[in-house]
Amino acid sequence: MVLKSWLCMALTSVAVTALPAAPAMAKQAAHAPLPDRPMPDAAYWNAQLPVAQRVADLLARMTLEEKVAQVTSVWQGKTKLQRADFTFDPVKARAVYPHGIGFFTRPSDKTGPGSPRDNAPRSIADSVAYANAVQKWAREGTRLGIPVMLHEESLHGLAALDATSYPMPIGLASTWNPDLVREVNRQIAGEARARGVQQVLSPVVDVARDPRWGRIEETFGEDPFLVGEMGVAAVEGLQGVGKNPKLSPGHVMATLKHMTGHGQPESGTNTAPAPLGERTLRDFFFPPFKQVIDRTAVASVMASYNEIDGIPSHSNKWLLGTVLRNEWNYQGAVVSDYFAIEEMVNRHHVAADVPEAARYALDAGVDVDFPDGVSYSTLLAQAKAGTVQAAQIDRAVTHALTMKFNAGLFEQPFVTDLKPALSSNTAAAVALARKAAEQSLVLLQNDGTLPLAMPAPGAAKRTIAVIGSSAQKARLGSYYGIPRATVSPLAGIQALVGSRANVIYAPGVEITKNDDWWADKVELGDPQTNRRMIAQAVETARGADTIVLFLGDTEQTSREGWGDDHLGDRSDLDLVGQQNELLAAVKALGKPVVVVLVNGRPPSYPAVAASANAVLETWYAGEQQGAAIADALFGRVNPSGKLPVTVARSVGQLPVFYDYKPSARRGYLFGTTEPLYPFGYGLSYTTFDIGAPTLSAVTIRPGEAVTVRAAVTNTGSRAGDEVVQVYLRDDVSSVTRPLKQLVGFTRVRLQPGERRDVAVAIRPEAFGLWNREMKFVTEPGSFTLMVGANARDIKEVKLTVAP
């Protein structure tokens, strides 16, 4: 992401004035004939040849200047390539980049970093026209006609205008449904590719082990297995299922990030050192990356901002070379995080200047410099001076070109049909966003208040007081796009109940004075003003039958802290501002209080847990959140989400992840080690019974798998989904192991009274460990397998691994 301390150092923006969009021009560009290719008989244009042969042929024809151009990118510098109306100018591009450019950052924005509220993104038509103009210049205006790879953010939807917005990843992880995550990302890929984008910067497979860290909302949670399964599904959706690196239509290159340790930073602050030993890295942080690399053809990996044992990741040869390429046989490209190479100068202080930082990164195996190529633009002079070896540049260029050949850019870099792009955010995509939102909702508490009764036609009207500023807005979270329409929770409730109930509303408190994720300054609502608003909310709710109270975060109170002037991490986990005062005031009315949480970090809200009649965690649930929340509140949808994180009672419990070692959590004076909510936890409007587990074999040998079976019965009166979770413990081992670790799960839907036998296959590597010699082995002995609906409520069975 943007690190603002480097904005001025990188490239100076040009002030421009927005003009109306030009869809006719875009349509014309989208249907333009394919320009002539330079050197048409060169082998690199021959699609019948192997990619490696085409890369080698092209590389042999390239000058040093052209090679360096291929490992750099442009973002803020795009203003130097545009006309006053923000359209791409090939004449200016030829002057600034006479040897071409490798990558283009976020073509949907007009001037580089900044809030889309202040600088409206390009329309779909203009985006397509812009992408085609960039490719036309690359084809016709550069000596070799090497196409440009364009990338966008797509964490939970394409971050552009009129794109579908899905739940944040922490919400998607709460579905425990890899098939759904795969379909969401397939839809995201289709919307991106239709606009001429070939690469997206997702998914995030950081294992998030500290809830103070503002980026936790971008992750799939705290568990390596769950994160790995969701990461694999996301890449399969974006890039395609299987190991074929060539893109098929409607897909994009995925970028696996951030390699690694990023999710447990010192003090919980973004980009801080990851105080982790090698065994901890291999046990908890490496597995999701390795799972994705082993099972997919993921095209790129992004290094992380942090350091590990004194070595920033962008200069870590062991991390990016020994582990990633040699041990895991990774064949794709390694890209930098935004401005991270320069950060080795001004933040880590391991390089005296940018050229030295560039040498560190290139030597470690970073292939491409995002977002503006500031560091790698120094490689030309360094190569000529002999401080950088040509072979190192060739290696990086080879990886960059391989991506482009696999993306099919040399055959067709242009958008030739505008209709798929213009139909973005289709009815099918909106329905999928609603389905994802429904499955992401986690019911944390319920004394029977939920579901709310829907008044029958003609019956006496009941009054529902909806309180809280997050009720009247669909909060989308970080890296957001702008969908065609959103449904706020208040609108969802009003649309569902119609005239059958009186729905009254009061904002209650102002959490932050501004809620724009991009804005640097974060200012909480004025306490005195909020207390007057609380009094007004109490009067509004006084005559209500039920109070639905919305509490939590805004996009400013938990977010990526990408600079010293743009913070996003927290030293406290509880509700900010006067929200607890609002809770106490409405609770004092003696009415049933249903708390709906809208937030990005785990809900460490002890007062809410102690006083609410029901608690529904909704995270940032995307553009259709209002409809999904309303359906859940009134029982049209049965909540089925499960927490992908352990929820601490207070910051003093941290770290609080469930898969801790035997010597941890001895206890506290005057406190408890028990979390507020356990990992994997989530209630339903029905009840389930998970029977005693059985095994396909009670004895296996190293390298063999086993299947765990259990009968699941819906013992309640409503249809619902249960997630059967399987955990494992190595009873005696040569090195310490977690008391339990997730090794499998399956989601099952059951009708009332229905019983089904479920089977969960446990992979052979689940029984392995990194021994005292740091070798991955399976040690013979006793293992305990545990089955349950969360990490706390489990039933056990024993298994032996024979010598």
Side-chain angles (χ1 to χ4, degrees):
M1 186 48 214
V2 184
L3 296 168
K4 290 207 172 174
S5 58
W6 281 94
L7 290 185
C8 294
M9 176 179 178
L11 288 170
T12 304
S13 296
V14 176
V16 287
T17 304
L19 294 179
M25 174 197 66
K27 186 173 183 180
Q28 180 181 3
H31 294 83
L34 204 64
D36 292 335
R37 301 175 300 188
M39 302 184 185
D41 297 326
Y44 69 89
W45 291 113
N46 186 349
Q48 304 306 311
L49 295 177
V51 167
Q53 185 176 340
R54 298 175 74 185
V55 170
D57 178 78
L58 179 53
L59 192 67
R61 299 173 187 271
M62 296 172 71
T63 65
L64 182 60
E65 290 81 0
E66 289 166 335
K67 291 176 181 178
V68 171
Q70 287 302 306
V71 296
T72 58
S73 51
V74 60
W75 189 21
Q76 296 168 100
K78 72 175 64 171
T79 57
K80 296 179 180 294
L81 314 179
Q82 298 176 164
R83 305 179 182 95
D85 63 355
F86 302 109
T87 57
F88 185 81
D89 187 337
V91 176
K92 292 182 178 180
R94 189 175 297 114
V96 178
Y97 296 107
H99 307 289
I101 190 73
F103 293 77
F104 205 102
T105 301
R106 302 199 67 176
S108 65
D109 69 46
K110 295 175 181 176
T111 58
S115 173
R117 300 183 188 182
D118 302 326
N119 182 13
R122 301 182 203 278
S123 68
I124 293 176
D126 285 350
S127 290
V128 171
Y130 196 92
N132 279 351
V134 169
Q135 300 293 10
K136 188 173 188 293
W137 159 72
R139 176 68 67 96
E140 296 180 337
T142 65
R143 187 177 71 91
L144 295 171
I146 302 173
V148 181
M149 179 158 282
L150 287 71
H151 75 251
E152 292 279 4
E153 297 284 359
S154 70
L155 185 67
H156 57 115
L158 180 64
L161 187 65
D162 294 337
T164 311
S165 180
Y166 298 94
M168 286 292 293
I170 198 168
L172 290 174
S174 298
T175 71
W176 290 60
N177 188 343
D179 291 338
L180 178 62
V181 171
R182 185 181 301 106
E183 178 60 18
V184 164
N185 280 274
R186 190 191 69 78
Q187 290 282 351
I188 292 171
E191 292 190 4
R193 190 66 182 270
R195 302 188 192 201
V197 173
Q198 303 86 27
Q199 180 187 16
V200 295
L201 303 188
S202 61
V204 172
V205 292
D206 294 312
V207 175
R209 313 277 277 186
D210 193 322
R212 294 173 296 181
W213 184 49
R215 300 192 76 173
I216 193 169
E217 66 188 39
E218 301 177 34
T219 76
F220 293 126
E222 73 179 43
D223 178 75
F225 185 86
L226 179 62
V227 173
E229 292 303 294
M230 295 302 187
V232 168
V235 172
E236 289 176 338
L238 292 170
Q239 198 165 316
V241 176
K243 296 289 289 183
N244 185 351
K246 293 190 176 182
L247 286 185
S248 57
H251 288 90
V252 292
M253 299 291 196
T255 303
L256 205 57
K257 59 186 194 181
H258 309 83
M259 184 82 180
T260 189
H262 201 33
Q264 194 175 354
E266 183 178 292
S267 303
T269 55
N270 193 41
T271 79
L276 308 169
E278 181 179 349
R279 192 181 316 280
T280 300
L281 289 168
R282 291 186 180 276
D283 280 345
F284 299 104
F285 294 90
F286 284 177
F289 289 89
K290 188 174 187 299
Q291 281 296 312
V292 175
I293 290 167
D294 285 348
R295 294 161 60 185
T296 75
V298 63
S300 58
V301 169
M302 179 179 284
S304 58
Y305 284 119
N306 58 277
E307 64 164 85
I308 298 172
D309 195 25
I311 309 297
S313 295
H314 284 75
S315 62
N316 196 324
K317 297 172 69 173
W318 172 77
L319 181 69
L320 302 181
T322 302
V323 175
L324 180 63
R325 293 213 181 271
N326 298 341
E327 292 185 21
W328 300 351
N329 194 34
Y330 174 64
Q331 300 296 310
V334 175
V335 301
S336 82
D337 208 335
Y338 284 15
F339 306 105
I341 300 176
E342 297 96 289
E343 286 250 304
M344 288 192 281
V345 181
N346 79 325
R347 188 167 298 278
H348 294 292
H349 301 289
V350 297
D353 52 29
V354 170
E356 184 178 20
R359 293 196 299 274
Y360 270 132
L362 188 66
D363 191 46
V366 177
D367 299 310
V368 182
D369 180 10
F370 283 165
D372 267 309
V374 171
S375 293
Y376 277 12
S377 65
T378 70
L379 294 180
L380 178 61
Q382 295 199 72
K384 290 181 177 180
T387 56
V388 168
Q389 299 301 311
Q392 293 179 304
I393 296 175
D394 284 355
R395 178 193 63 198
V397 176
T398 295
H399 291 142
L401 292 178
T402 299
M403 283 185 71
K404 295 183 178 186
F405 280 112
N406 283 333
L409 281 171
F410 284 82
E411 287 69 59
Q412 179 51 279
F414 302 103
V415 177
T416 58
D417 184 359
L418 193 56
K419 291 180 182 178
L422 291 176
S423 65
S424 179
N425 205 199
T426 62
V430 170
L432 181 62
R434 184 166 178 169
K435 177 181 178 181
E438 293 169 354
Q439 293 194 18
S440 73
L441 306 181
V442 184
L443 184 63
L444 295 176
Q445 294 180 198
N446 188 23
D447 64 1
T449 300
L450 289 181
L452 301 176
M454 178 67 73
K461 288 187 178 181
R462 295 175 63 82
T463 298
I464 301 168
V466 177
I467 308 295
S469 56
S470 291
Q472 64 177 346
K473 178 177 182 178
R475 297 199 182 279
L476 301 180
S478 62
Y479 289 100
Y480 61 90
I482 304 177
R484 297 183 193 274
T486 61
V487 182
S488 72
L490 179 60
I493 293 169
Q494 291 171 330
L496 180 60
V497 303
S499 61
R500 287 178 287 180
N502 296 316
V503 178
I504 54 179
Y505 170 73
V509 296
E510 180 184 56
I511 301 174
T512 53
K513 293 187 176 181
N514 181 5
D515 59 5
D516 189 359
W517 176 79
W518 282 91
D520 292 332
K521 185 178 181 180
V522 177
E523 188 175 2
L524 294 176
D526 176 69
Q528 295 308 314
T529 301
N530 276 343
R531 291 185 177 110
R532 288 194 293 271
M533 294 173 66
I534 289 171
Q536 293 168 358
V538 168
E539 290 308 309
T540 298
R542 191 175 298 279
D545 297 290
T546 303
I547 300 169
V548 181
L549 177 61
F550 285 77
L551 301 171
D553 288 320
T554 75
E555 288 87 345
Q556 287 197 329
T557 60
S558 177
R559 63 179 183 179
E560 179 182 359
W562 66 58
D564 295 344
D565 60 347
H566 187 101
L567 300 176
D569 310 302
R570 297 254 299 278
S571 61
D572 182 69
L573 304 178
D574 205 349
L575 294 166
V576 299
Q578 286 67 54
Q579 292 184 86
N580 276 322
E581 293 180 35
L582 173 63
L583 170 65
V586 298
K587 183 64 180 177
L589 292 172
K591 315 283 184 179
V593 177
V594 176
V595 173
V596 179
L597 301 176
V598 179
N599 50 343
R601 68 175 68 246
S604 296
Y605 309 146
V608 172
S611 60
N613 296 89
V615 180
L616 183 67
E617 173 61 78
T618 72
W619 310 109
Y620 297 130
E623 64 176 63
Q624 292 297 307
Q625 61 187 265
I629 290 169
D631 283 345
L633 290 174
F634 287 91
R636 293 180 59 176
V637 166
N638 190 348
S640 59
K642 302 283 187 175
L643 290 172
V645 289
T646 306
V647 179
R649 294 180 181 274
S650 69
V651 73
Q653 285 188 323
L654 301 183
V656 76
F657 42 79
Y658 84 93
D659 48 352
Y660 57 90
K661 297 292 189 70
S663 59
R665 317 286 168 89
R666 172 174 285 173
Y668 297 111
L669 285 172
F670 322 119
T672 178
T673 60
E674 289 299 311
L676 193 61
Y677 304 108
F679 175 82
Y681 180 79
L683 301 175
S684 170
Y685 294 152
T686 190
T687 54
F688 298 94
D689 176 71
I690 301 176
T694 62
L695 303 175
S696 58
V698 295
T699 300
I700 62 173
R701 293 189 178 277
E704 294 180 347
V706 70
T707 298
V708 180
R709 294 185 173 88
V712 185
T713 305
N714 183 341
T715 56
S717 59
R718 290 174 177 263
D721 289 19
E722 180 62 292
V723 178
V724 180
Q725 303 162 35
V726 181
Y727 299 86
L728 177 146
R729 179 175 67 247
D730 190 340
D731 294 329
V732 179
S733 51
S734 63
V735 295
T736 61
R737 300 292 293 148
L739 289 177
K740 62 173 71 77
Q741 57 188 118
L742 184 70
V743 292
F745 63 88
T746 188
R747 183 180 175 112
V748 58
R749 181 164 184 81
L750 298 173
Q751 297 300 314
E754 183 181 1
R755 177 185 182 277
R756 191 178 305 174
D757 293 328
V758 301
V760 180
I762 310 303
R763 300 173 192 143
E765 61 266 26
F767 301 95
L769 55 76
W770 292 93
N771 67 12
R772 292 179 178 233
E773 290 72 43
M774 207 58 76
K775 305 293 184 184
F776 190 75
V777 299
T778 299
E779 296 180 340
S782 172
F783 290 79
T784 301
L785 286 154
M786 298 155 271
V787 177
N790 57 71
R792 181 188 63 195
D793 304 317
I794 51 178
K795 298 175 181 178
E796 299 182 352
V797 64
K798 292 288 186 178
L799 175 141
T800 299
V801 174

